[in-house]
Amino acid sequence: MSGNVGMEQLIPIVNKLQDAFSSLGTPLSLDLPQIAVVGSQSAGKSSVLENFVGKDFLPRGSGIVTRRPLVLQLINSKAEYAEFLHQKNKYYSDFDQVRKEIEMETDRVTGGNKGISNIPINLRVYSPNVLNLTLIDLPGMTKVAVGNQPQDIEIQIRSMVLEFISKESCLILAVSPANTDLANSDALKIAKEVDPQGMRTIGVITKLDLMDEGTDARDILENRTLPLRRGYMGVVNRSQKDIEGRKDIRAALAGERKFFLSHPAYRHMADRMGTPYLQKILNQQLTNHIKDTLPALRNKLQSQLLAMEKDVEEFKNFRPDDPARKTKAMMQMCTQFGSDFEKTIEGSGAEISTLELSGGAKINRIFHERFPFELVKMEFDERELRREIGIIIKNIHAIRTGLFTPDMAFEAVVKKQIEKLKGPSLKCVDMVISELTNVVHKCSSKMTRYPRLREEVERIVNTRIREQEQRVKDQLLLLVDVQLSYMNTNHEDFIGFAKAQDKSENTAKRKVGNQVIRKGWLTLHNISFMKGGSKEFWFVLTTESLSWFKDEEEGDKKYMLTLEGVKLRDVEKMLSRRPMFALFSSEHRNVYKDYKQLELSGESQDDIDSWKASFLRAGVYPDRSQEEGNTTAKDDIGSMDPQLERQVETIRNLVDSYMKIVNKTQRDLVPKTIMFLCVNNVQEFIGAELMAHLYSTVDQQSLMEESQEEAQRREELLRMYHATKEALNIIGDINITTNSTPTPPPVDNDWLHIDQTTNGGGSRPSSPKPSRGGPPPPLPNRPGPGGSSMPNRPAPSIPNRPAPTAPGGGPPIPARPSSAGPPGVPKIPDRPSIPSRPNLL
């Protein structure tokens, strides 16, 4: 482990950094180097981890025991205790309590039905008996659902395992039991899928003591059979009887050591087997892997550091109670609020939404689409209007038979129509006020750091908006009253009585050429249910017709509807939640195939309102028959004689001419009045008077108190900043002072084939039988054909140990060749020679 001191310091730092980002929920994912432990159920994964720690702390039982990933951070320390990331500042010295907390935290997320979850549990263990390591214990792979588990439990576990081991920064600890066919190892097969070159896979063989008598795993552990680039290491875990009997793990480790020293197949490699050596190798392999991944890690850390520096610069000399800082912050935020409000209304903001209209754009739509549409809905009620004119004329003539068209009829009808302007005008104000309130709330979002300030700013500005709302409404009502006060029949645009009487009775609209008014997507619902009930088409609206096409190219025309006699009304569609409207014929004819009405829907209500306004421009007006109900119940004026019909038509033409003048004036003055008395006034108020109101109504000290969340965010940000900076400094030192062992050379691993047909299922190749006669393949990092080679293994006999001389004064026994450890591990020096011992056999 010499030469890796700097790297040893890096592991706790990156662990701390990952904890900081996990607890804050920041989007940054560093993908820090770590080791994922994979294997089938009961392969011994949990026992290996417990042996590392030297304590019983993992849940035990049958079936799937590990149901959530356990991120286990081992940190070398003088004291021995554990802590969970989800329980800050709570320390466990009793590891039985650690097990209970893991079980309760698992059940909290997954429930008690043996389900699984990919939300990890972060556990940090401090102990003098561990080396710095970060391991992830993943659920054991299984084939069959047990109890209330979902039937796809195999696929769920497989997907979770792949989610972790697919990252290039993750080493794979593939745990396989020695008493099963290694070629069928789930751990090795899934590792091969994501690491086909074997750059990140380390093999661990468990249950060596449970192999059938006369068999051993020597060829596997020497990387001769089913070779891996980083090789295999063997361990002996406690048996189920030992676990139930609470056998001490230290005693178990001593028994493991004795097993390797006494077994004839493993005694020559005993120094390179067992849990302590595995932990040492994993520590070194992880630190070397970190060394390899430093460039990408450094880039991510530097990017995060640059992103944090702007905020950190403000916090470096931060004093929460400094009055000057509070005053400056309040002025800056109020100025920023005013600037954002102005930009949102005027349309020059830096943050432009691509999802919906807001601010000035939405107010513009209200002025030029929603408000005109409301006016037209009120204005064009032809049937009711003619009926009212006839009744008024008859009431004015009373018992007499009128010879002339009465002026009073015109004035009475016009006043009633002008009175109706109040509703749409006030509704326009309400819509603008609602949008202004949304703009205020949106622009104050940058004040979240000071909740009292944000609350007070919104209160003051919204109060001003409500005050101006009343002024605007009063002014608009005054405009209507002004129109009612005097009928200016000498207006240059008014047709007068003579022209009204001479006007043709043909009331068909005057065409100005077939001009395109609007294009866009709408959903047509007049489709049989066998075809899905609805479909989107590209619609083209002109002054004379409505056509729809397959797409924007307008090459495949589906239909064209002539707008003559067509009206518009809202409909409620039970099978669709989208806003809808319908086009139908006032002449009670079919408008499309066998359908009496054409049902259309859009993405949003704003979209539908915009289309309705476009149809108004094409002369398609809303229908009032739905609101009138059964007209036969109303007072009927009876049949009109020709003279009365001419008088009604004359008054109708006069009313139409005069209301066009009034509506034109109203469309022009309502937006101007709202802008002057409300929008512009509020904008000026924010720039000139907001600060004065803040100083006069609320104590500045309480106004600028930070939220608890903001104070915590600042502290966490500073901690992350310093941790990131420290990690970068350590990385710089490691580049200079740390030497790492190169990755072992490739081996022939064609024996491991990925089954592409099923998720781990199907037939599997059997383990190749080791050849005893031919020469074995060269071992990684071991002498090749030119050096000393491993002799053919004879039958079990007395272990050959180096000694000065053979018993009985015979010739000296040759010293054991110095052999390298498993791939990727520094060479282990030979032990000193010891005197030979008597034959134990």
Side-chain angles (χ1 to χ4, degrees), residues 58-267:
L58 292 174
R60 296 280 182 179
S62 60
I64 301 178
V65 178
T66 304
R67 294 185 285 128
R68 288 177 59 184
L70 177 66
V71 180
L72 179 62
Q73 298 175 355
L74 305 180
I75 299 175
N76 186 268
S77 172
K78 294 180 180 180
E80 188 171 51
Y81 61 95
E83 62 176 339
F84 290 93
L85 182 62
H86 63 270
Q87 291 181 331
K88 290 186 177 181
N89 301 323
K90 183 175 182 179
Y91 305 103
Y92 292 83
S93 57
D94 183 355
F95 281 79
D96 287 337
Q97 296 298 319
V98 173
R99 179 192 298 109
K100 292 180 181 179
E101 178 58 32
I102 293 175
E103 292 173 347
M104 289 190 296
E105 179 64 15
T106 299
D107 290 341
R108 185 183 66 82
V109 174
T110 63
N113 65 343
K114 297 290 185 181
I116 66 170
S117 170
N118 63 350
I119 301 176
I121 300 174
N122 289 67
L123 173 64
R124 180 174 289 179
V125 176
Y126 297 82
S127 173
N129 304 318
V130 301
L131 296 177
N132 290 338
L133 272 179
T134 300
L135 303 110
I136 303 177
D137 186 19
L138 296 172
M141 289 175 282
T142 184
K143 303 294 182 185
V144 182
V146 178
N148 295 328
Q149 290 178 345
Q151 293 301 312
D152 63 342
I153 188 69
E154 176 189 0
I155 300 175
Q156 290 187 28
I157 295 178
R158 177 181 171 82
S159 299
M160 182 193 302
V161 172
L162 289 173
E163 178 183 345
F164 282 89
I165 68 176
S166 297
K167 299 175 182 177
E168 290 296 324
S169 60
C170 181
L171 291 177
I172 306 169
L173 193 66
V175 180
S176 305
N179 58 350
T180 60
D181 191 354
L182 189 64
N184 291 335
S185 168
D186 291 327
L188 292 177
K189 292 188 96 45
I190 198 169
K192 178 72 172 177
E193 292 184 31
V194 297
D195 183 33
Q197 302 302 319
M199 298 291 294
R200 302 185 281 117
T201 305
I202 306 167
V204 174
I205 305 299
T206 62
K207 303 186 179 182
L208 292 168
D209 55 331
L210 301 181
M211 296 185 70
D212 294 338
E213 186 177 355
T215 62
D216 57 64
R218 175 176 174 177
D219 285 340
I220 295 174
L221 294 175
E222 289 179 345
N223 216 25
R224 295 169 179 268
T225 303
L226 313 182
L228 287 177
R229 194 164 185 170
R230 293 180 182 264
Y232 295 89
M233 276 155 280
V235 296
V236 176
N237 298 326
R238 293 177 298 167
S239 66
Q240 188 63 33
K241 181 179 178 181
D242 294 335
I243 295 173
E244 293 174 356
R246 307 287 291 179
K247 181 177 181 179
D248 183 66
I249 291 182
R250 295 184 182 180
L253 293 177
E256 179 188 51
R257 175 68 175 166
K258 183 179 179 180
F259 170 82
F260 285 115
L261 286 173
S262 61
H263 198 288
Y266 309 129
R267 60 168 60 106

Side-chain angles (χ1 to χ4, degrees), residues 1 4 280-289 741 824-826:
M1 295 301 295
N4 283 290
K280 181 179 179 181
I281 292 304
L282 292 181
N283 172 271
Q284 188 177 34
Q285 299 244 7
L286 178 59
T287 54
N288 291 334
H289 190 59
T741 305
V825 181

Side-chain angles (χ1 to χ4, degrees), residues 87 266 302 320 358 367 646 820:
Q87 291 181 331
Y266 309 129
Q302 287 176 340
S358 62
F367 286 160
R646 287 195 298 272

